[in-house]
């Protein structure tokens, strides 16, 4: 059987066997109780949810009462932004960036159609956020600032501690989209960052199933729910997805226990991968600030190729990565993240994202890089007229 190398962990991650084992009892005839029921079957489910809440809180450096479970990162982000709008009906401005995940961008586009003013802060050529732009935009018309911690396409990090300090100073609510950062970076000192009101994370990025996520709500911040009901301390209605929440808790425990070793492992593989490509191919560009990135992510433009062609050939060789973010693959529009960084559309269309994970084998990086080198050379040799390689 052909060896498969999965290099798309920013899209989603495989469920770990221990995580599956932890969730299965809650899908069986003995574990189906409703956590809101007062008899023992319900209480067992309630206790399992509360244990998971503690695990998820510990992973991000929060307290359990600051965590609500949701159905996905997208729901967490929408809950945070819509909460701010409902708490401040007199404020009509939302500050975000031009490189956010589509979960934020599409909500903001929708709110713009309803009359809200959306400020999309620009980034520089490295994908970094100039803080003075944020400082200049904050005012008492601003309902909320919503920014990424780590970009899903390039891995570039925003300075969340400085952003939190600025928002605190201006008394403006701040939501941080930490979906890609959690489990790859050490937790933020949330209790000494009162500026962060809300923070989103998602289970399927840390080896739990899809369809379970969480929102951190700072204990000092007010919150207005998106879904009304008595569950989650009346902050998120709907009967809880017990099995997936238990799985999320287990994945959080494992993630925290292995944070240092995982981070070192993925960084080593990512760096080996990039070094091999830089040594063996001309006309390639690594997109995003190389020293302020997630340890697992590599976004690379290959002059003279279309990303979709390379994706298909890599797929045939059992290597899985993506062109732009998962949500935009299949379309040929250049990535909004790369174009916001000033990368010309042609180069953006030649970009692939590789994201390593804990399950990658030590030789995956070199094997994938050598196959990719062969594929890029083949595509270029078949279309020599489109190619003017710059020496880098
Ligand atoms: N935010 C970022 C940075 C992401 O990468 C993703 C998913 O790719 C999301 C939000 C949305 O999370 P979910 O897929 O759980 O809705």
């Amino acid at each position: 059987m052909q060896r498969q190398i999965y290099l798309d962990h920013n899209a989603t991650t495989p469920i770990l066997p221990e995580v599956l084992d932890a969730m299965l009892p809650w899908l069986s005839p003995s574990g189906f109780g409703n956590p809101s029921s007062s008899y023992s079957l319900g209480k067992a489910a309630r206790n399992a949810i509360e244990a998971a809440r503690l695990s998820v809180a510990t992973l991000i450096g929060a307290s359990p009462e600051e965590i609500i479970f949701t159905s996905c990162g997208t729901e967490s982000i929408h809950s945070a932004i819509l909460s701010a709008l409902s708490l401040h009906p007199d404020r009509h401005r939302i500050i975000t960036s031009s490189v956010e995940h589509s979960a934020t961008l599409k909500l903001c586009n929708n709110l713009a159609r309803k009359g809200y003013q959306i400020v999309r802060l620009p980034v520089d050529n490295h994908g970094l956020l100039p803080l003075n732009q944020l400082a200049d935009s904050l005012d008492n018309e601003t309902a909320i600032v919503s920014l990424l911690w780590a970009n899903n396409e390039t891995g570039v990090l925003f300075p969340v501690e400085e952003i939190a300090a600025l928002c605190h100073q201006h008394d403006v609510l701040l939501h941080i989209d930490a979906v890609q950062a959690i489990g790859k970076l050490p937790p933020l000192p949330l209790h000494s960052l009162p500026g962060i009101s809300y923070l989103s994370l998602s289970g399927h990025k840390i080896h739990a199933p899809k369809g379970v996520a969480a929102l951190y709500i700072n204990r000092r911040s007010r919150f207005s729910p998106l879904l009304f009901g008595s569950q989650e301390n009346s902050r998120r209605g709907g009967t809880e997805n017990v099995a997936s929440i238990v799985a999320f808790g287990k994945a959080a425990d494992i993630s925290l226990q292995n944070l240092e070793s995982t981070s070192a492992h993925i960084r080593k593989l990512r760096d080996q991968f990039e070094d091999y490509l830089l040594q063996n191919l001309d006309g390639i560009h690594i997109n995003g600030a190389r020293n302020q990135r997630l340890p697992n992510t590599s976004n690379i433009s290959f002059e003279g190729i279309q990303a979709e062609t390379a994706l298909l050939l890599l797929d045939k060789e059992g290597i899985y990565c993506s062109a732009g973010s998962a949500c935009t693959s299949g379309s040929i529009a250049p990535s909004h993240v790369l174009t916001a960084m000033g990368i010309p559309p042609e180069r953006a269309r030649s970009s692939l994202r590789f994201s390593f994970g804990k399950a990658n084998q030590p030789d995956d990086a070199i094997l994938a890089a050598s196959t990719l080198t062969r594929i890029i050379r083949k595509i270029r040799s078949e279309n020599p007229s489109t190619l003017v390689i710059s020496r880098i």
Side-chain angles (χ1 to χ4, degrees), residues 110-150:
N110 185 274
L111 291 169
R113 286 194 285 276
K114 293 181 178 154
Y116 287 93
Q117 187 202 355
I118 312 296
V119 178
R120 295 178 182 83
L121 299 173
V123 294
D124 69 13
N125 293 339
H126 305 287
L128 298 167
L129 187 79
L131 275 181
N132 58 332
Q133 305 257 11
L134 172 61
D136 292 347
S137 310
L138 285 165
D139 63 8
N140 55 13
E141 258 292 283
T142 308
I144 189 163
V145 173
S146 182
L147 291 168
L148 283 162
W149 181 0

mmCIF file of all heavy atoms in Angstrom, residues 110-150:
data_model
loop_
_atom_site.group_PDB
_atom_site.id
_atom_site.type_symbol
_atom_site.label_atom_id
_atom_site.label_comp_id
_atom_site.label_asym_id
_atom_site.label_seq_id
_atom_site.Cartn_x
_atom_site.Cartn_y
_atom_site.Cartn_z
ATOM 1 N N ASN A 110 -21.673 40.062 6.586
ATOM 2 C CA ASN A 110 -23.112 40.055 6.808
ATOM 3 C C ASN A 110 -23.539 41.241 7.687
ATOM 4 O O ASN A 110 -24.529 41.913 7.420
ATOM 5 C CB ASN A 110 -23.475 38.710 7.468
ATOM 6 C CG ASN A 110 -24.948 38.546 7.634
ATOM 7 O OD1 ASN A 110 -25.508 38.998 8.617
ATOM 8 N ND2 ASN A 110 -25.593 37.930 6.660
ATOM 9 N N LEU A 111 -22.733 41.514 8.716
ATOM 10 C CA LEU A 111 -23.065 42.636 9.611
ATOM 11 C C LEU A 111 -22.921 43.973 8.877
ATOM 12 O O LEU A 111 -23.672 44.912 9.132
ATOM 13 C CB LEU A 111 -22.171 42.591 10.853
ATOM 14 C CG LEU A 111 -22.466 41.410 11.796
ATOM 15 C CD1 LEU A 111 -21.369 41.268 12.848
ATOM 16 C CD2 LEU A 111 -23.824 41.588 12.469
ATOM 17 N N ALA A 112 -21.974 44.040 7.940
ATOM 18 C CA ALA A 112 -21.798 45.277 7.161
ATOM 19 C C ALA A 112 -23.070 45.556 6.366
ATOM 20 O O ALA A 112 -23.516 46.701 6.266
ATOM 21 C CB ALA A 112 -20.594 45.151 6.238
ATOM 22 N N ARG A 113 -23.667 44.489 5.830
ATOM 23 C CA ARG A 113 -24.913 44.681 5.059
ATOM 24 C C ARG A 113 -26.043 45.182 5.955
ATOM 25 O O ARG A 113 -26.993 45.779 5.500
ATOM 26 C CB ARG A 113 -25.322 43.357 4.377
ATOM 27 C CG ARG A 113 -24.425 43.018 3.183
ATOM 28 C CD ARG A 113 -25.028 41.914 2.312
ATOM 29 N NE ARG A 113 -24.911 40.607 2.936
ATOM 30 C CZ ARG A 113 -23.834 39.832 2.875
ATOM 31 N NH1 ARG A 113 -22.782 40.209 2.185
ATOM 32 N NH2 ARG A 113 -23.810 38.665 3.473
ATOM 33 N N LYS A 114 -25.913 44.914 7.278
ATOM 34 C CA LYS A 114 -26.962 45.385 8.207
ATOM 35 C C LYS A 114 -26.641 46.765 8.760
ATOM 36 O O LYS A 114 -27.304 47.248 9.666
ATOM 37 C CB LYS A 114 -27.101 44.389 9.355
ATOM 38 C CG LYS A 114 -27.649 43.058 8.907
ATOM 39 C CD LYS A 114 -27.793 42.104 10.056
ATOM 40 C CE LYS A 114 -28.404 40.796 9.571
ATOM 41 N NZ LYS A 114 -28.023 39.678 10.420
ATOM 42 N N GLY A 115 -25.551 47.375 8.290
ATOM 43 C CA GLY A 115 -25.266 48.754 8.688
ATOM 44 C C GLY A 115 -24.104 48.917 9.662
ATOM 45 O O GLY A 115 -23.771 50.038 10.026
ATOM 46 N N TYR A 116 -23.487 47.825 10.099
ATOM 47 C CA TYR A 116 -22.321 47.973 10.997
ATOM 48 C C TYR A 116 -21.109 48.441 10.197
ATOM 49 O O TYR A 116 -20.975 48.110 9.011
ATOM 50 C CB TYR A 116 -22.007 46.643 11.693
ATOM 51 C CG TYR A 116 -23.024 46.307 12.761
ATOM 52 C CD1 TYR A 116 -24.132 45.507 12.473
ATOM 53 C CD2 TYR A 116 -22.890 46.819 14.045
ATOM 54 C CE1 TYR A 116 -25.089 45.222 13.441
ATOM 55 C CE2 TYR A 116 -23.837 46.540 15.024
ATOM 56 C CZ TYR A 116 -24.929 45.737 14.710
ATOM 57 O OH TYR A 116 -25.861 45.478 15.675
ATOM 58 N N GLN A 117 -20.231 49.176 10.881
ATOM 59 C CA GLN A 117 -18.996 49.614 10.214
ATOM 60 C C GLN A 117 -17.899 48.608 10.546
ATOM 61 O O GLN A 117 -17.609 48.371 11.736
ATOM 62 C CB GLN A 117 -18.602 51.006 10.722
ATOM 63 C CG GLN A 117 -17.433 51.573 9.948
ATOM 64 C CD GLN A 117 -16.691 52.645 10.719
ATOM 65 O OE1 GLN A 117 -17.092 53.056 11.811
ATOM 66 N NE2 GLN A 117 -15.582 53.098 10.152
ATOM 67 N N ILE A 118 -17.322 48.003 9.540
ATOM 68 C CA ILE A 118 -16.278 46.999 9.774
ATOM 69 C C ILE A 118 -14.924 47.612 9.412
ATOM 70 O O ILE A 118 -14.715 48.028 8.271
ATOM 71 C CB ILE A 118 -16.495 45.726 8.919
ATOM 72 C CG1 ILE A 118 -17.956 45.224 9.003
ATOM 73 C CG2 ILE A 118 -15.508 44.629 9.320
ATOM 74 C CD1 ILE A 118 -18.423 44.758 10.360
ATOM 75 N N VAL A 119 -14.020 47.636 10.383
ATOM 76 C CA VAL A 119 -12.657 48.127 10.124
ATOM 77 C C VAL A 119 -11.770 46.902 9.965
ATOM 78 O O VAL A 119 -11.625 46.118 10.907
ATOM 79 C CB VAL A 119 -12.154 49.001 11.304
ATOM 80 C CG1 VAL A 119 -10.720 49.464 11.051
ATOM 81 C CG2 VAL A 119 -13.082 50.175 11.529
ATOM 82 N N ARG A 120 -11.215 46.727 8.754
ATOM 83 C CA ARG A 120 -10.347 45.561 8.518
ATOM 84 C C ARG A 120 -8.912 46.048 8.508
ATOM 85 O O ARG A 120 -8.444 46.608 7.513
ATOM 86 C CB ARG A 120 -10.702 44.888 7.182
ATOM 87 C CG ARG A 120 -12.113 44.297 7.180
ATOM 88 C CD ARG A 120 -12.469 43.677 5.843
ATOM 89 N NE ARG A 120 -13.838 43.167 5.851
ATOM 90 C CZ ARG A 120 -14.924 43.913 5.638
ATOM 91 N NH1 ARG A 120 -14.813 45.195 5.376
ATOM 92 N NH2 ARG A 120 -16.135 43.365 5.680
ATOM 93 N N LEU A 121 -8.213 45.831 9.615
ATOM 94 C CA LEU A 121 -6.856 46.362 9.736
ATOM 95 C C LEU A 121 -5.935 45.678 8.719
ATOM 96 O O LEU A 121 -5.984 44.447 8.566
ATOM 97 C CB LEU A 121 -6.312 46.129 11.141
ATOM 98 C CG LEU A 121 -7.094 46.793 12.280
ATOM 99 C CD1 LEU A 121 -6.552 46.340 13.629
ATOM 100 C CD2 LEU A 121 -7.013 48.315 12.164
ATOM 101 N N PRO A 122 -5.084 46.438 8.038
ATOM 102 C CA PRO A 122 -4.162 45.821 7.083
ATOM 103 C C PRO A 122 -2.994 45.132 7.802
ATOM 104 O O PRO A 122 -2.730 45.425 8.975
ATOM 105 C CB PRO A 122 -3.652 47.020 6.271
ATOM 106 C CG PRO A 122 -3.824 48.200 7.161
ATOM 107 C CD PRO A 122 -4.939 47.900 8.117
ATOM 108 N N VAL A 123 -2.318 44.251 7.101
ATOM 109 C CA VAL A 123 -1.087 43.640 7.636
ATOM 110 C C VAL A 123 0.068 44.062 6.732
ATOM 111 O O VAL A 123 -0.163 44.543 5.616
ATOM 112 C CB VAL A 123 -1.181 42.095 7.698
ATOM 113 C CG1 VAL A 123 -2.221 41.649 8.711
ATOM 114 C CG2 VAL A 123 -1.475 41.490 6.316
ATOM 115 N N ASP A 124 1.304 43.856 7.215
ATOM 116 C CA ASP A 124 2.447 44.202 6.370
ATOM 117 C C ASP A 124 2.815 43.021 5.451
ATOM 118 O O ASP A 124 2.111 41.999 5.436
ATOM 119 C CB ASP A 124 3.638 44.695 7.222
ATOM 120 C CG ASP A 124 4.253 43.580 8.066
ATOM 121 O OD1 ASP A 124 3.941 42.387 7.825
ATOM 122 O OD2 ASP A 124 5.061 43.884 8.962
ATOM 123 N N ASN A 125 3.924 43.153 4.720
ATOM 124 C CA ASN A 125 4.310 42.098 3.758
ATOM 125 C C ASN A 125 4.615 40.760 4.404
ATOM 126 O O ASN A 125 4.661 39.733 3.736
ATOM 127 C CB ASN A 125 5.560 42.524 2.977
ATOM 128 C CG ASN A 125 5.264 43.679 2.074
ATOM 129 O OD1 ASN A 125 4.098 43.908 1.740
ATOM 130 N ND2 ASN A 125 6.291 44.426 1.690
ATOM 131 N N HIS A 126 4.871 40.786 5.710
ATOM 132 C CA HIS A 126 5.160 39.528 6.423
ATOM 133 C C HIS A 126 3.903 38.963 7.094
ATOM 134 O O HIS A 126 3.980 37.973 7.816
ATOM 135 C CB HIS A 126 6.237 39.762 7.483
ATOM 136 C CG HIS A 126 7.483 40.372 6.925
ATOM 137 N ND1 HIS A 126 8.358 39.656 6.149
ATOM 138 C CD2 HIS A 126 7.972 41.630 7.000
ATOM 139 C CE1 HIS A 126 9.348 40.448 5.775
ATOM 140 N NE2 HIS A 126 9.137 41.657 6.269
ATOM 141 N N GLY A 127 2.782 39.647 6.930
ATOM 142 C CA GLY A 127 1.547 39.179 7.562
ATOM 143 C C GLY A 127 1.395 39.661 8.989
ATOM 144 O O GLY A 127 0.485 39.229 9.704
ATOM 145 N N LEU A 128 2.284 40.580 9.416
ATOM 146 C CA LEU A 128 2.247 41.071 10.805
ATOM 147 C C LEU A 128 1.312 42.272 10.929
ATOM 148 O O LEU A 128 1.127 43.028 9.972
ATOM 149 C CB LEU A 128 3.660 41.455 11.264
ATOM 150 C CG LEU A 128 4.666 40.299 11.272
ATOM 151 C CD1 LEU A 128 6.098 40.820 11.432
ATOM 152 C CD2 LEU A 128 4.337 39.303 12.390
ATOM 153 N N LEU A 129 0.765 42.439 12.124
ATOM 154 C CA LEU A 129 -0.224 43.504 12.351
ATOM 155 C C LEU A 129 0.446 44.730 12.971
ATOM 156 O O LEU A 129 0.942 44.639 14.093
ATOM 157 C CB LEU A 129 -1.294 42.970 13.313
ATOM 158 C CG LEU A 129 -2.495 43.876 13.546
ATOM 159 C CD1 LEU A 129 -3.472 43.778 12.380
ATOM 160 C CD2 LEU A 129 -3.182 43.492 14.842
ATOM 161 N N PRO A 130 0.466 45.861 12.261
ATOM 162 C CA PRO A 130 1.029 47.062 12.884
ATOM 163 C C PRO A 130 0.091 47.558 13.988
ATOM 164 O O PRO A 130 -1.053 47.919 13.735
ATOM 165 C CB PRO A 130 1.118 48.063 11.725
ATOM 166 C CG PRO A 130 0.835 47.278 10.480
ATOM 167 C CD PRO A 130 0.021 46.097 10.890
ATOM 168 N N LEU A 131 0.593 47.565 15.231
ATOM 169 C CA LEU A 131 -0.270 47.875 16.379
ATOM 170 C C LEU A 131 -0.781 49.308 16.371
ATOM 171 O O LEU A 131 -1.854 49.580 16.895
ATOM 172 C CB LEU A 131 0.494 47.630 17.675
ATOM 173 C CG LEU A 131 0.474 46.193 18.186
ATOM 174 C CD1 LEU A 131 1.248 46.095 19.471
ATOM 175 C CD2 LEU A 131 -0.955 45.711 18.380
ATOM 176 N N ASN A 132 0.013 50.226 15.760
ATOM 177 C CA ASN A 132 -0.448 51.623 15.758
ATOM 178 C C ASN A 132 -1.766 51.765 14.993
ATOM 179 O O ASN A 132 -2.603 52.599 15.321
ATOM 180 C CB ASN A 132 0.634 52.563 15.204
ATOM 181 C CG ASN A 132 1.042 52.171 13.797
ATOM 182 O OD1 ASN A 132 0.953 51.005 13.416
ATOM 183 N ND2 ASN A 132 1.467 53.136 13.007
ATOM 184 N N GLN A 133 -1.972 50.892 14.006
ATOM 185 C CA GLN A 133 -3.232 50.949 13.244
ATOM 186 C C GLN A 133 -4.408 50.605 14.156
ATOM 187 O O GLN A 133 -5.471 51.214 14.066
ATOM 188 C CB GLN A 133 -3.211 49.916 12.113
ATOM 189 C CG GLN A 133 -2.038 50.040 11.198
ATOM 190 C CD GLN A 133 -2.432 50.712 9.887
ATOM 191 O OE1 GLN A 133 -3.529 51.248 9.784
ATOM 192 N NE2 GLN A 133 -1.542 50.696 8.921
ATOM 193 N N LEU A 134 -4.180 49.620 15.033
ATOM 194 C CA LEU A 134 -5.239 49.247 15.970
ATOM 195 C C LEU A 134 -5.486 50.389 16.945
ATOM 196 O O LEU A 134 -6.627 50.800 17.170
ATOM 197 C CB LEU A 134 -4.852 47.956 16.725
ATOM 198 C CG LEU A 134 -5.781 47.550 17.862
ATOM 199 C CD1 LEU A 134 -7.197 47.274 17.347
ATOM 200 C CD2 LEU A 134 -5.265 46.305 18.592
ATOM 201 N N ALA A 135 -4.391 50.925 17.495
ATOM 202 C CA ALA A 135 -4.520 52.018 18.470
ATOM 203 C C ALA A 135 -5.297 53.185 17.857
ATOM 204 O O ALA A 135 -6.171 53.763 18.507
ATOM 205 C CB ALA A 135 -3.137 52.461 18.923
ATOM 206 N N ASP A 136 -5.003 53.505 16.588
ATOM 207 C CA ASP A 136 -5.672 54.640 15.942
ATOM 208 C C ASP A 136 -7.159 54.373 15.689
ATOM 209 O O ASP A 136 -7.941 55.307 15.558
ATOM 210 C CB ASP A 136 -5.011 54.966 14.582
ATOM 211 C CG ASP A 136 -3.603 55.503 14.777
ATOM 212 O OD1 ASP A 136 -3.258 55.848 15.920
ATOM 213 O OD2 ASP A 136 -2.840 55.545 13.785
ATOM 214 N N SER A 137 -7.537 53.106 15.569
ATOM 215 C CA SER A 137 -8.932 52.796 15.214
ATOM 216 C C SER A 137 -9.847 52.669 16.427
ATOM 217 O O SER A 137 -11.069 52.737 16.291
ATOM 218 C CB SER A 137 -9.004 51.472 14.442
ATOM 219 O OG SER A 137 -8.095 51.469 13.398
ATOM 220 N N LEU A 138 -9.261 52.427 17.623
ATOM 221 C CA LEU A 138 -10.097 52.192 18.809
ATOM 222 C C LEU A 138 -10.781 53.477 19.262
ATOM 223 O O LEU A 138 -10.118 54.502 19.419
ATOM 224 C CB LEU A 138 -9.225 51.666 19.959
ATOM 225 C CG LEU A 138 -8.785 50.211 19.863
ATOM 226 C CD1 LEU A 138 -7.654 49.929 20.845
ATOM 227 C CD2 LEU A 138 -9.960 49.275 20.136
ATOM 228 N N ASP A 139 -12.093 53.399 19.447
ATOM 229 C CA ASP A 139 -12.809 54.565 19.972
ATOM 230 C C ASP A 139 -14.065 54.089 20.694
ATOM 231 O O ASP A 139 -14.340 52.888 20.749
ATOM 232 C CB ASP A 139 -13.154 55.552 18.844
ATOM 233 C CG ASP A 139 -14.089 54.930 17.817
ATOM 234 O OD1 ASP A 139 -14.584 53.819 18.061
ATOM 235 O OD2 ASP A 139 -14.326 55.552 16.773
ATOM 236 N N ASN A 140 -14.847 55.024 21.219
ATOM 237 C CA ASN A 140 -16.009 54.590 22.000
ATOM 238 C C ASN A 140 -17.223 54.234 21.137
ATOM 239 O O ASN A 140 -18.305 54.009 21.633
ATOM 240 C CB ASN A 140 -16.379 55.605 23.100
ATOM 241 C CG ASN A 140 -16.589 56.978 22.524
ATOM 242 O OD1 ASN A 140 -16.697 57.126 21.300
ATOM 243 N ND2 ASN A 140 -16.640 57.987 23.378
ATOM 244 N N GLU A 141 -17.003 54.148 19.822
ATOM 245 C CA GLU A 141 -18.016 53.621 18.893
ATOM 246 C C GLU A 141 -17.796 52.116 18.698
ATOM 247 O O GLU A 141 -18.614 51.415 18.123
ATOM 248 C CB GLU A 141 -17.831 54.292 17.523
ATOM 249 C CG GLU A 141 -18.811 55.391 17.206
ATOM 250 C CD GLU A 141 -20.206 54.806 17.022
ATOM 251 O OE1 GLU A 141 -20.471 54.224 15.961
ATOM 252 O OE2 GLU A 141 -21.025 54.913 17.951
ATOM 253 N N THR A 142 -16.586 51.617 19.162
ATOM 254 C CA THR A 142 -16.198 50.228 18.872
ATOM 255 C C THR A 142 -16.870 49.252 19.835
ATOM 256 O O THR A 142 -16.684 49.341 21.050
ATOM 257 C CB THR A 142 -14.661 50.068 18.964
ATOM 258 O OG1 THR A 142 -14.055 51.067 18.152
ATOM 259 C CG2 THR A 142 -14.215 48.703 18.500
ATOM 260 N N ALA A 143 -17.634 48.313 19.276
ATOM 261 C CA ALA A 143 -18.304 47.312 20.112
ATOM 262 C C ALA A 143 -17.333 46.192 20.487
ATOM 263 O O ALA A 143 -17.360 45.687 21.612
ATOM 264 C CB ALA A 143 -19.500 46.732 19.368
ATOM 265 N N ILE A 144 -16.496 45.790 19.551
ATOM 266 C CA ILE A 144 -15.571 44.670 19.813
ATOM 267 C C ILE A 144 -14.422 44.690 18.796
ATOM 268 O O ILE A 144 -14.596 45.142 17.662
ATOM 269 C CB ILE A 144 -16.308 43.294 19.769
ATOM 270 C CG1 ILE A 144 -15.381 42.160 20.251
ATOM 271 C CG2 ILE A 144 -16.919 43.001 18.403
ATOM 272 C CD1 ILE A 144 -16.094 40.877 20.641
ATOM 273 N N VAL A 145 -13.284 44.195 19.253
ATOM 274 C CA VAL A 145 -12.146 43.907 18.368
ATOM 275 C C VAL A 145 -12.066 42.381 18.292
ATOM 276 O O VAL A 145 -12.116 41.704 19.319
ATOM 277 C CB VAL A 145 -10.835 44.473 18.965
ATOM 278 C CG1 VAL A 145 -9.627 44.040 18.146
ATOM 279 C CG2 VAL A 145 -10.900 45.997 19.065
ATOM 280 N N SER A 146 -11.983 41.843 17.084
ATOM 281 C CA SER A 146 -11.855 40.388 16.941
ATOM 282 C C SER A 146 -10.659 40.086 16.042
ATOM 283 O O SER A 146 -10.642 40.459 14.868
ATOM 284 C CB SER A 146 -13.135 39.794 16.338
ATOM 285 O OG SER A 146 -12.998 38.389 16.254
ATOM 286 N N LEU A 147 -9.645 39.438 16.626
ATOM 287 C CA LEU A 147 -8.401 39.182 15.882
ATOM 288 C C LEU A 147 -7.903 37.765 16.122
ATOM 289 O O LEU A 147 -8.125 37.183 17.199
ATOM 290 C CB LEU A 147 -7.324 40.181 16.312
ATOM 291 C CG LEU A 147 -7.547 41.643 15.887
ATOM 292 C CD1 LEU A 147 -6.580 42.569 16.607
ATOM 293 C CD2 LEU A 147 -7.402 41.803 14.373
ATOM 294 N N LEU A 148 -7.199 37.259 15.134
ATOM 295 C CA LEU A 148 -6.550 35.956 15.241
ATOM 296 C C LEU A 148 -5.391 36.011 16.222
ATOM 297 O O LEU A 148 -4.747 37.062 16.350
ATOM 298 C CB LEU A 148 -5.945 35.581 13.888
ATOM 299 C CG LEU A 148 -6.864 35.081 12.795
ATOM 300 C CD1 LEU A 148 -6.158 35.191 11.458
ATOM 301 C CD2 LEU A 148 -7.254 33.634 13.071
ATOM 302 N N TRP A 149 -5.091 34.855 16.819
ATOM 303 C CA TRP A 149 -3.785 34.716 17.477
ATOM 304 C C TRP A 149 -2.805 34.187 16.419
ATOM 305 O O TRP A 149 -1.769 34.796 16.154
ATOM 306 C CB TRP A 149 -3.912 33.780 18.676
ATOM 307 C CG TRP A 149 -2.645 33.570 19.459
ATOM 308 C CD1 TRP A 149 -1.410 34.116 19.206
ATOM 309 C CD2 TRP A 149 -2.503 32.769 20.629
ATOM 310 N NE1 TRP A 149 -0.516 33.698 20.163
ATOM 311 C CE2 TRP A 149 -1.157 32.878 21.032
ATOM 312 C CE3 TRP A 149 -3.385 31.974 21.376
ATOM 313 C CZ2 TRP A 149 -0.664 32.199 22.156
ATOM 314 C CZ3 TRP A 149 -2.899 31.306 22.492
ATOM 315 C CH2 TRP A 149 -1.553 31.422 22.878
ATOM 316 N N ALA A 150 -3.171 33.072 15.773
ATOM 317 C CA ALA A 150 -2.302 32.491 14.738
ATOM 318 C C ALA A 150 -3.098 32.334 13.449
ATOM 319 O O ALA A 150 -4.219 31.812 13.471
ATOM 320 C CB ALA A 150 -1.794 31.131 15.186
#
